[in-house]
Amino acid sequence: MSGPEGTRSGRRSLQVKFVPDEEVLRHITDDSGTKVRKDKAQLSVSVKRFVKKLEDISDNEAQEILGEKNYVAALGICAQDPVGNGANISGGEVYSFQTPKRSSKMAELASELAQTPEKDVVPDHSKCPEKMAKTPQSSSNFMWAEIVWKCNLKKKEFLSTTPYRLRKRLAAPDPCLESESEYSASCSEEEDEEDQKEVSTALSGQKTPGQTKQTKAASTPPPRNSLVKKTKEEKMGNLVEEYFEAHSSSKVLTSDRTLQKLRKRRLNQQTLRDLLKKAPLAYAAEIRDLNKQHESLFSKWMLQLHLGFNIVLYGLGSKRDLLEKFRTSLLQDSVHLVVNGYFPSITVRSILNSITEEVLDYLGTFRSPLDQLEFIIKRFKEDSSLELYVLIHNLDSQMLRGERSQQILAQLSSLPSIYLIASIDHINAPLMWDQAKLSLYNWLWYETTTFSPYVEETSYENSLLVQQSGSLALSSLMHVLHSLTLNARGIFRLLAQHQLEKKDNPSYPGLSFQDFYQQCREAFLVNSDLTLRAQLTEFRDHKLIRTKRGADGVEYLLIPVDDSTLTHFLEKENEDV
Amino acid sequence: AHDFRRKSDDSEDTELRFITCQSLWNQIKSETEEIQEDLNKQLLDNLLNFLSRSHSEFQEKTTEWTCKMKFREIPTAALVLGVNVTDHDLTFRGLSDILQDSITPYIALLEAKDCPGIKNLMQKLMGQLMNCDIDVDTLEDEDCVQVSQNRIRCSMSSLISWYESVTKKTDSETPSKKRNSSSRHWKSPPVVVIFKDMESFTTKVLQDFIVISSQHIHELPLVLIFGIATSPMIIHRLLPHSVSSLLCIELFQSISCKEHLSTIIDKLLLTSRFPFKLGEKVLQVLINIFLYHDFSVQNFIKGFQLCIVEHFYSQPLSVLCCQLVDVKKRVISLSHEQCENIRRLPSFRRYVEKQEAGKQIALLTNDTFLKEDTERLLEDLHVYHENYVSILRCLHVFTSSLPKYPLGKQIRELHCACLENRVWETEEYESSLQLARMLNKTDLVTMLQQCVEILTSSSGKQFHKTVEKLKEFLTQFQNLEAEASQERDVSVLSQKELQKKTDLYHLQKTLLELKESRRSKKLTKFEMLRFEVVDYIDSLVRKYLVPADDRTLHEIMYFNAATVLRGHLNAAPRTALHTALNNPHWYLKNQALKCDGGSISNKAPDICIVYKLHLECGRLINLVDWLEAFSTVVTAAEEPNAVAASSDQMDDIIHARFIRAVSELELLGFIKPSKQKTDHVARLTWGGC
């Protein structure tokens, strides 16, 4: 500690080799100097560290940390005062991965839901011990699964404890089935199979990693500390695995029943509509209240439209009536254009055409929609007295959701004297717009959940269950055919008849060219291979037939029209001939 | 024509409110435009400089130019604008305006979406160039140009011949005729081609264009401007060396959007010029949208506009949200209904409760008395704003230099903190005071000087004393310096004594003694003064930075409906759908729908039931199973009251309802038809419950 006396004069130089007292002293006293005030400044220690590390912490980082905190706080705002919309739901709930589901799950849920009024079904654990092993992920699922499981058991065994109503439903003849016995046989068989598979998979621990891991964890609990960590890892791992599991198996785990087995015919649009008219609208009063709320906003919309904003409506339920009401109540005296976006053949071009022709009274044609748009923009800029309200139902419909259409509509809406009010329904509709388009649209979002049925919007959809009347296809067929020669019509009829004969064969590839040629020759319709080919080319140009090559290189001919339309067509043809 | 009127009578001053709102917005709009112009001025000046330089050589046909042209280099300005794409338009508009004014009439603005191929690019380019030609040359030969434009083959050579003809025309024409339009321009002005969004152009198009035009740079003085959103590196990534070597690139950096926002906030919010104020949460929402969504100043201003409109629309008393000079007149002309509105304000009620009984009655019953008081309170509020801004800036001077920025680096963060609650009660404020107590002298002195500047330049009149006080501190600091040298001698003396002791025992002893003395010892004069300064600042903060919510009648000036704003600007359509489908009771207030714990009642609307059922399925859903499940649920729900209806008809109706619900789900994008298996649909979402 003590250094030679002689070197004391040069305190600084001593620092290297010796540590003289005063140096130590100064060091210590300095430190205590700050400590004196430490009681006042609890933070001074950390402050010192901050000062030291100041270079390390870049400004941005610090700011970012603060910003993040703020953002979370601001997000919390919604949770604090839930006004109007249901924005207080975390994204995780909406966008979570799906857990692998069993095929019979839906039926189970259904019977569970059906039972909700009487909630006295207490799951009896001791009764089905092997079921306990498979604990589904969420508690609600668990409840359903278990209760339903019991129902299934009961169903199979027809236990006397089955609730009366359930039994009645099971026993009652189901009118939508071909025959009761057939159904119950096939159904229970199916379920039996399903159940057995379930049990075996659950026991062998192969089906869902989440389930098996849970059971494992239950049997051999690892040390507490690692458990937490592990479950976290597992959770992540599970998510990933679940995702790939859901996507990897090409095998479809659903029952094979088809609608054709049901006696019920496919309804056509008209009967569907009639039937729905008979069904009373549920919660009409509440829906009316909702609509009243939205209607009170009309004047505000009007104001905001005039201030340069455009309005977009979202939320469950058809917003068509609401917009219609807006139109009738406020836009009667002004020029407005209603675009039914859900109409399957609407195009941007037709929208632009109606603006130029009906609003601007210009009958010229344009080379491209962009030219047309430019013309419209020019006209609206020149004449400031021009004002146009554009109402678009379903801005996110199939036909309008394309990038180019949206670009054009956005540019249109950015004109100060065009006021756009639109509705969107698709869950991914906001993805249509990038920043540039959003700034052109200048949207104000309004949540207008109406719960009203999408009557108009879905009526054009090629719905799975609705039988398409095919009247359009039929008339076009007739139209084209009438302009052809008699021989050509004969050729087509031959093909159609052949196709109808084979209609029960789902793997019917079409009629091969050689066979067709043979038949045509026999019917004295063509005299050479070439004439038939020429005729077929004509059909193909009118999209009456489709050709495709089979695996063996043979050309197969097919009429791309559904069977019923074809039958109608043949009937009509026979009348004519 | 369209104002806030909802009822026919005008008892709530709707018309006046609308007018006030509009004039306020127009003021703010022009203000923001000015700010934008100021901020871009530097950039635009640099660009102009560059353009005139690049082209002056061509003008004079000097050797330098020709020598440069041997390498066939095109002068190019790379304009780094940042990711806030939506703001770029304004910049470009300003740029092309200023170019038109001072350098060249020949400007073409190209966007990637118009130019999928080199042909389209040329078409667009020539179209724009020749159009602007028409504008300059009056309209005498519009027809011929119009026609030729359609017919001209879009090639570089036709462009050159056009350029030659145009410049020759300018030359040959009499100067008197042309003076008005082209006197500002040089004889042969450069052709400026602006690529608005360089990143989105296809590489091929860009490369081709550059190579082709570099061949013709002798005849056509072309200048390119690239608008770049990311980083200048992108040029080299998009263009191979052989192409980029044809460019003579100069880099220009536009002002960052954050700085832009800070200026906007500084000029629009932290000023007493505009009576309208944003509440804390609202400001937070706007800033968050900016920081986490788009970095767009335009959108921020849009949000601000919406705030103004909402405020004036929804708050009848916002009629008083005007300049102080108008307040008196407007207060006097308030209707009785409006007086009642004032009485209903929560902040006013709190104020009334604090008054003595006699005054309470007068305030609640006498309109004239109320009006007088309101006027006084509003004046107070204005004074409060003036003081608030100045003191906030002073506090920011201190906090912005502290390590780790406990109160935030930007003044907007400090502003938010002060608006939110009493800032002096927060932990961050406490720690920043502690840190301020450790500042060194030079920093402290400069800060004090800055504060004095701020306070003297502020419009508030009661800062005389404060300024005096701060100046006093400054002189004291100066005196300290003189004293310090004397003091040092003393301390050196005492230290000298210590240096003699060398052994451990003595050292220990001295240390103990010194510790004793330190404990009792007074702080140095500098430290004392520092404490005093910080305490004084603290007192100023406590006096002036009271959160606005505590002020009476703050509702008139402050817009606080953050949820409304958020709903309109940053909506979550998917969440709304999710809520409606999972919890219909949220919207339909019917007891039958009330359910708890994630499940829904079987009486819920069809679409909710169908949705809930489909959540239980995997990728594919069998329609028959689905229908069956649906009818099970629905019949269970309806059984009690639907015994009479024939079951066959019931069944048809259920079938129809199912079809409707399924097609609605299809419309919403939850499912789509699948060809994989007959009568199956595919799920499109991965959300479960």
Side-chain angles (χ1 to χ4, degrees):
Chain A
M1 266 284 206
S2 57
E5 298 267 315
T7 46
R8 218 169 259 164
S9 55
R11 258 185 284 165
R12 293 275 162 206
S13 64
L14 270 176
Q15 274 181 335
V16 185
K17 280 181 184 174
F18 309 102
V19 186
D21 296 350
E22 65 273 19
E23 195 72 10
V24 177
L25 203 63
R26 212 179 47 178
H27 188 74
I28 296 167
T29 49
D30 260 353
D31 233 22
S32 66
T34 49
K35 271 176 195 159
V36 170
R37 244 178 287 126
K38 201 192 166 184
D39 51 345
K40 250 185 157 181
Q42 327 96 297
L43 277 162
S44 61
V45 180
S46 52
V47 164
K48 275 216 125 165
R49 213 183 55 231
F50 293 164
V51 178
K52 264 188 229 159
K53 286 190 174 173
L54 192 59
E55 301 95 76
D56 306 347
I57 301 161
S58 72
D59 306 345
N60 287 344
E61 248 177 320
Q63 205 187 340
E64 245 169 46
I65 293 165
L66 207 89
E68 242 160 83
K69 244 194 298 178
N70 288 343
Y71 189 56
V72 173
L75 280 177
I77 289 172
C78 286
Q80 280 161 21
D81 40 0
V83 181
N85 59 3
N88 55 350
I89 287 177
S90 70
E93 242 175 286
V94 188
Y95 298 104
S96 68
F97 279 130
Q98 173 200 37
T99 49
K101 296 281 164 63
R102 288 172 297 122
S103 55
S104 55
K105 218 28 189 302
M106 191 156 64
E108 292 169 5
L109 174 62
S111 44
E112 155 67 4
L113 278 176
Q115 279 184 338
T116 35
E118 61 235 342
K119 279 197 172 159
D120 48 356
V121 194
V122 182
D124 189 353
H125 291 207
S126 59
K127 232 180 150 186
C128 36
E130 84 272 35
K131 307 302 185 290
M132 285 308 291
K134 45 185 305 307
T135 28
Q137 281 79 351
S138 71
S139 60
S140 60
N141 277 0
F142 173 71
M143 277 296 285
W144 284 339
E146 192 145 34
I147 292 167
V148 169
W149 200 280
K150 241 182 93 192
C151 296
N152 281 358
L153 282 181
K154 284 169 188 164
K155 206 161 151 189
K156 268 182 280 172
E157 293 160 25
F158 284 102
L159 284 179
S160 57
T161 52
T162 314
Y164 171 67
R165 274 189 20 198
L166 183 64
R167 214 168 68 202
K168 186 181 130 200
R169 199 168 51 247
L170 287 168
D174 202 334
C176 53
L177 300 171
E178 298 253 5
S179 73
E180 191 205 336
S181 56
E182 194 195 327
Y183 163 65
S184 46
S186 74
C187 178
S188 60
E189 197 181 271
E190 223 165 49
E191 270 173 20
D192 258 346
E193 245 175 53
E194 213 75 67
D195 286 357
Q196 271 157 14
K197 205 161 70 191
E198 224 87 278
V199 172
S200 65
T201 47
L203 287 179
S204 62
Q206 294 268 320
K207 199 177 180 200
T208 46
Q211 284 174 4
T212 55
K213 267 171 193 159
Q214 266 178 349
T215 51
K216 258 187 220 159
S219 57
T220 52
R224 205 194 164 89
N225 206 359
S226 65
L227 179 70
V228 177
K229 207 177 157 193
K230 208 174 168 187
T231 45
K232 204 175 172 188
E233 276 170 15
E234 272 173 10
K235 219 173 168 186
M236 259 319 284
N238 278 354
L239 266 184
V240 177
E241 278 174 41
E242 276 168 17
Y243 178 81
F244 284 109
E245 196 179 346
H247 279 84
S248 61
S249 63
S250 55
K251 206 172 139 241
V252 183
L253 290 170
T254 51
S255 62
D256 292 329
R257 289 187 285 166
T258 57
L259 287 170
Q260 284 193 335
K261 279 196 192 150
L262 299 182
R263 195 185 56 207
K264 187 148 9 216
R265 70 224 173 274
R266 291 200 170 207
L267 302 168
N268 65 26
Q269 200 64 247
Q270 192 52 46
T271 42
L272 180 71
R273 218 174 260 207
D274 292 345
L275 279 172
L276 285 177
K277 250 178 219 155
K278 278 183 217 156
L281 181 62
Y283 305 107
E286 284 83 6
I287 290 174
R288 225 177 8 255
D289 283 352
L290 270 179
N291 274 321
K292 277 234 180 68
Q293 272 178 36
H294 302 321
E295 280 159 25
S296 67
L297 293 170
F298 282 174
S299 60
K300 197 170 172 183
W301 291 353
M302 208 55 187
L303 170 77
Q304 283 167 341
L305 286 174
H306 276 266
L307 291 174
F309 296 103
N310 291 309
I311 287 175
V312 63
L313 310 177
Y314 65 92
L316 182 69
S318 168
K319 289 160 280 288
R320 197 173 165 279
D321 292 342
L322 190 68
L323 280 178
E324 213 31 42
K325 188 135 193 201
F326 174 71
R327 187 182 74 84
T328 48
S329 59
L330 285 177
L331 299 183
Q332 277 310 338
D333 302 326
S334 30
V335 186
H336 58 263
L337 175 72
V338 179
V339 178
N340 294 325
Y342 50 81
F343 192 67
S345 61
I346 191 101
T347 56
V348 183
R349 186 132 214 178
S350 54
I351 297 175
L352 292 177
N353 276 340
S354 41
I355 293 178
T356 49
E357 282 162 23
E358 322 252 326
V359 180
L360 300 176
D361 287 324
Y362 178 85
L363 291 173
T365 51
F366 298 90
R367 271 185 306 165
S368 72
L370 280 176
D371 285 346
Q372 201 164 2
L373 178 69
E374 249 162 55
F375 173 79
I376 292 169
I377 290 174
K378 210 171 129 200
R379 280 292 294 272
F380 271 95
K381 278 192 176 151
E382 276 168 10
D383 189 354
S384 56
S385 66
L386 272 176
E387 277 189 341
L388 175 64
Y389 294 84
V390 182
L391 285 89
I392 303 184
H393 303 293
N394 286 76
L395 184 59
D396 55 347
S397 67
Q398 286 287 349
M399 293 307 291
L400 298 180
R401 66 174 65 148
E403 205 267 332
R404 287 173 60 84
S405 329
Q406 287 297 326
Q407 180 68 39
I408 288 171
L409 288 176
Q411 270 171 298
L412 208 59
S413 73
S414 68
L415 283 177
S417 47
I418 288 187
Y419 313 113
L420 174 66
I421 179 163
S423 68
I424 57 168
D425 284 303
H426 198 277
I427 45 173
N428 295 327
L431 298 182
M432 293 188 294
W433 303 313
D434 56 15
Q435 288 295 347
K437 285 195 203 74
L438 278 178
S439 77
L440 280 177
Y441 271 124
N442 204 13
W443 287 130
L444 285 188
W445 298 74
Y446 273 89
E447 185 188 333
T448 53
T449 302
T450 61
F451 272 99
S452 7
Y454 294 96
V455 180
E456 287 292 322
E457 288 91 329
T458 53
S459 64
Y460 293 103
E461 200 120 355
N462 277 329
S463 184
L464 311 138
L465 295 156
V466 182
Q467 185 192 37
Q468 294 300 307
S469 61
S471 54
L472 211 68
L474 185 65
S475 70
S476 58
L477 258 186
M478 298 299 289
H479 203 74
V480 173
L481 260 286
H482 272 293
S483 63
L484 294 178
T485 60
L486 215 61
N487 268 4
R489 285 162 76 173
I491 293 171
F492 191 78
R493 198 163 53 230
L494 212 63
L495 189 61
Q497 274 162 355
H498 191 265
Q499 187 161 336
L500 275 183
E501 279 164 24
K502 295 283 169 62
K503 73 176 172 191
D504 292 331
N505 179 6
S507 59
Y508 170 67
L511 183 59
S512 74
F513 180 76
Q514 278 310 321
D515 292 349
F516 191 35
Y517 175 56
Q518 208 56 45
Q519 286 180 28
C520 288
R521 265 183 81 93
E522 281 161 14
F524 300 108
L525 289 169
V526 293
N527 52 8
S528 79
D529 183 320
L530 275 178
T531 35
L532 179 61
R533 281 206 183 277
Q535 200 56 62
L536 288 181
T537 315
E538 192 165 349
F539 287 155
R540 204 163 24 221
D541 289 346
H542 287 107
K543 298 203 167 59
L544 291 180
I545 60 163
R546 221 170 41 202
T547 56
K548 64 178 175 190
R549 288 209 181 272
D552 45 358
V554 182
E555 206 174 345
Y556 289 105
L557 308 168
L558 204 65
I559 304 174
V561 178
D562 61 285
D563 298 338
S564 58
T565 315
L566 217 52
T567 324
H568 276 296
F569 164 72
L570 282 181
E571 279 167 12
K572 282 245 169 95
E573 271 288 287
N574 290 336
E575 281 168 24
D576 280 7
V577 174
Chain B
H2 296 272
D3 52 26
F4 302 143
R5 208 164 302 168
R6 270 173 293 186
K7 297 171 228 154
S8 51
D9 62 313
D10 197 32
S11 63
E12 297 194 325
D13 302 307
T14 38
E15 205 172 324
L16 191 56
R17 255 154 64 203
F18 182 70
I19 294 167
T20 324
C21 170
Q22 284 298 82
S23 74
L24 180 67
W25 166 240
N26 287 335
Q27 252 180 37
I28 285 174
K29 200 172 151 196
S30 58
E31 177 86 18
T32 54
E33 274 158 15
E34 251 170 57
I35 292 170
Q36 166 107 17
E37 244 168 57
D38 286 352
L39 289 178
N40 277 333
K41 198 171 183 316
Q42 181 71 33
L43 173 78
L44 292 182
D45 283 350
N46 288 346
L47 260 176
L48 282 187
N49 235 330
F50 165 77
L51 285 173
S52 48
R53 240 187 306 129
S54 67
H55 121 106
S56 63
E57 288 156 358
F58 179 80
Q59 223 11 250
E60 292 148 20
K61 301 262 182 211
T62 56
T63 45
E64 205 184 334
W65 171 261
T66 43
C67 132
K68 202 171 172 186
M69 282 313 107
K70 265 182 199 145
F71 301 112
R72 292 181 307 187
E73 280 182 348
I74 312 172
T76 307
L79 199 55
V80 182
L81 291 164
V83 290
N84 48 334
V85 193
T86 39
D87 296 346
H88 294 180
D89 257 358
L90 262 182
T91 317
F92 282 121
R93 213 178 306 150
L95 176 65
S96 68
D97 281 351
I98 208 162
L99 287 182
Q100 209 117 44
D101 276 351
S102 55
I103 299 231
T104 170
Y106 309 123
I107 300 165
L109 274 161
L110 298 178
E111 273 178 274
K113 61 169 189 284
D114 299 330
C115 312
I118 182 81
K119 199 173 143 197
N120 308 62
L121 188 146
M122 287 305 289
Q123 227 161 17
K124 201 88 195 162
L125 175 68
M126 296 183 71
Q128 288 195 23
L129 286 177
M130 292 174 183
N131 264 338
C132 67
D133 179 36
I134 296 167
D135 293 339
V136 173
D137 280 340
T138 62
L139 295 171
E140 54 191 317
D141 50 3
E142 190 188 2
D143 293 13
C144 82
V145 179
Q146 199 76 59
V147 170
S148 63
Q149 186 207 330
N150 287 339
R151 254 192 276 135
I152 268 181
R153 268 185 57 246
C154 293
S155 71
M156 213 61 196
S157 54
S158 52
L159 189 64
I160 289 163
S161 57
W162 161 80
Y163 182 74
E164 270 169 7
S165 71
V166 166
T167 44
K168 212 169 276 166
K169 210 191 284 173
T170 325
D171 286 345
S172 60
E173 260 164 61
T174 51
S176 62
K177 193 182 167 189
K178 285 308 288 183
R179 180 157 295 157
N180 53 350
S181 63
S182 67
S183 57
R184 301 161 298 186
H185 308 304
W186 277 276
K187 262 184 202 157
S188 47
V191 175
V192 179
V193 181
I194 302 175
F195 295 87
K196 274 188 173 178
D197 39 357
M198 199 241 186
E199 283 98 338
S200 345
F201 276 90
T202 34
T203 349
K204 184 109 184 32
V205 173
L206 267 187
Q207 284 178 28
D208 287 352
F209 179 72
I210 291 168
V211 172
I212 294 170
S213 46
S214 78
Q215 300 285 339
H216 298 275
I217 194 74
H218 301 271
E219 300 117 305
L220 189 70
L222 200 67
V223 181
L224 305 182
I225 295 178
F226 290 148
I228 293 171
T230 52
S231 89
M233 277 306 292
I234 199 79
I235 297 178
H236 299 286
R237 207 167 297 161
L238 280 179
L239 305 173
H241 180 70
S242 58
V243 177
S244 61
S245 63
L246 295 174
L247 300 173
C248 172
I249 302 173
E250 203 167 315
L251 197 64
F252 296 90
Q253 183 89 42
S254 86
I255 189 166
S256 91
C257 50
K258 272 189 190 170
E259 274 172 65
H260 192 168
L261 180 75
S262 303
T263 328
I264 294 273
I265 288 180
D266 205 54
K267 292 267 167 66
L268 292 187
L269 300 181
L270 300 178
T271 166
S272 46
R273 280 181 55 205
F274 303 111
F276 175 76
K277 305 280 173 198
L278 292 181
E280 188 263 337
K281 278 175 185 163
V282 171
L283 183 58
Q284 202 63 257
V285 166
L286 285 181
I287 290 177
N288 283 330
I289 291 176
F290 176 84
L291 287 178
Y292 295 93
H293 291 271
D294 49 14
F295 283 122
S296 164
V297 179
Q298 285 312 110
N299 281 354
F300 183 86
I301 293 169
K302 170 193 165 188
F304 193 56
Q305 184 193 4
L306 181 66
C307 290
I308 295 174
V309 174
E310 277 287 331
H311 180 67
F312 280 88
Y313 182 80
S314 56
Q315 175 60 267
L317 288 171
S318 57
V319 69
L320 299 178
C321 183
C322 58
Q323 300 296 343
L324 196 53
V325 281
D326 299 330
V327 163
K328 191 169 181 161
K329 208 169 60 197
R330 293 195 181 181
V331 167
I332 287 170
S333 59
L334 283 182
S335 63
H336 174 69
E337 210 163 303
Q338 287 282 52
C339 291
E340 285 302 312
N341 279 332
I342 292 180
R343 288 180 186 124
R344 272 194 285 269
L345 291 180
S347 71
F348 188 75
R349 281 185 181 178
R350 260 179 276 144
Y351 167 76
V352 170
E353 276 158 24
K354 279 186 207 139
Q355 309 302 317
E356 70 259 27
K359 203 178 173 194
Q360 278 188 4
I361 294 167
L363 279 174
L364 293 178
T365 51
N366 188 344
D367 278 359
T368 19
F369 188 75
L370 174 82
K371 282 176 185 173
E372 277 168 24
D373 222 38
T374 308
E375 197 188 325
R376 195 180 48 74
L377 286 170
L378 284 175
E379 271 167 26
D380 281 356
L381 208 54
H382 275 268
V383 173
Y384 157 77
H385 282 145
E386 283 173 3
N387 298 339
Y388 175 89
V389 173
S390 314
I391 298 297
L392 186 75
R393 285 184 203 277
C394 288
L395 181 61
H396 181 242
V397 168
F398 277 89
T399 55
S400 62
S401 57
L402 296 176
K404 207 134 201 234
Y405 311 106
L407 276 171
K409 193 178 164 197
Q410 307 279 350
I411 195 164
R412 58 165 190 258
E413 292 162 291
L414 190 65
H415 181 51
C416 282
C418 290
L419 280 178
E420 194 180 5
N421 42 32
R422 292 176 188 177
V423 71
W424 57 88
E425 282 170 5
T426 59
E427 223 172 89
E428 290 87 1
Y429 180 76
E430 201 56 41
S431 62
S432 45
L433 272 198
Q434 299 293 357
L435 289 170
R437 290 202 178 102
M438 307 182 71
L439 287 167
N440 65 24
K441 202 172 82 186
T442 37
D443 282 355
L444 208 56
V445 169
T446 41
M447 283 177 198
L448 282 179
Q449 276 162 349
Q450 277 174 321
C451 288
V452 170
E453 264 170 50
I454 290 169
L455 291 181
T456 42
S457 65
S458 86
S459 49
K461 279 169 189 87
Q462 55 274 78
F463 286 128
H464 276 312
K465 272 189 189 160
T466 319
V467 173
E468 296 280 289
K469 183 85 183 164
L470 290 179
K471 278 184 177 157
E472 200 183 306
F473 281 132
L474 280 173
T475 47
Q476 279 179 7
F477 274 117
Q478 267 158 14
N479 293 341
L480 265 185
E481 250 165 71
E483 285 170 34
S485 53
Q486 293 167 10
E487 228 175 273
R488 200 178 301 140
D489 295 343
V490 183
S491 64
V492 166
L493 235 157
S494 69
Q495 297 250 315
K496 274 266 161 62
E497 264 171 55
L498 281 173
Q499 284 168 11
K500 302 239 161 66
K501 278 134 198 154
T502 48
D503 56 300
L504 196 59
Y505 172 70
H506 275 112
L507 178 68
Q508 212 169 10
K509 211 174 151 190
T510 352
L511 274 176
L512 280 173
E513 273 168 22
L514 229 120
K515 200 176 164 193
E516 286 294 305
S517 69
R518 272 291 164 101
R519 199 168 279 166
S520 56
K521 195 193 157 195
K522 277 192 204 159
L523 301 164
T524 64
K525 276 191 178 167
F526 165 67
E527 282 165 333
M528 301 251 292
L529 195 55
R530 190 163 60 180
F531 274 32
E532 232 175 286
V533 171
V534 174
D535 286 345
Y536 185 67
I537 297 289
D538 185 38
S539 74
L540 284 180
V541 168
R542 281 164 199 267
K543 189 172 171 198
Y544 292 111
L545 293 189
V546 186
D549 291 1
D550 291 0
R551 307 291 308 197
T552 312
L553 296 184
H554 69 90
E555 290 94 337
I556 293 178
M557 309 284 185
Y558 283 81
F559 176 68
N560 252 324
T563 0
V564 177
L565 186 72
R566 205 182 158 75
H568 290 334
L569 291 181
N570 198 7
R574 179 92 185 256
T575 322
L577 271 182
H578 184 91
T579 317
L581 289 169
N582 277 302
N583 184 12
H585 179 66
W586 187 276
Y587 296 97
L588 303 173
K589 303 291 180 204
N590 190 311
Q591 278 307 310
L593 292 172
K594 201 156 191 177
C595 250
D596 38 39
S599 63
I600 56 168
S601 135
N602 53 13
K603 292 190 180 65
D606 294 348
I607 186 166
C608 298
I609 292 169
V610 168
Y611 172 78
K612 204 75 184 170
L613 290 171
H614 111 289
L615 285 180
E616 296 301 314
C617 292
R619 265 187 310 153
L620 289 184
I621 307 170
N622 186 319
L623 279 172
V624 184
D625 289 349
W626 202 0
L627 169 61
E628 212 161 85
F630 176 74
S631 71
T632 316
V633 176
V634 172
T635 42
E638 279 180 2
E639 221 159 11
N641 46 23
V643 195
S646 76
S647 71
D648 202 40
Q649 196 194 355
M650 269 303 292
D651 219 61
D652 270 351
I653 290 178
I654 289 173
H655 186 74
R657 279 165 63 185
F658 175 70
I659 290 172
R660 179 173 65 185
V662 169
S663 28
E664 280 172 359
L665 276 192
E666 192 182 344
L667 181 82
L668 293 176
F670 285 103
I671 53 164
K672 67 166 188 192
S674 163
K675 289 239 163 67
Q676 220 170 327
K677 219 169 163 187
T678 36
D679 290 329
H680 274 64
V681 290
R683 269 190 77 180
L684 295 175
T685 55
W686 298 107
C689 56

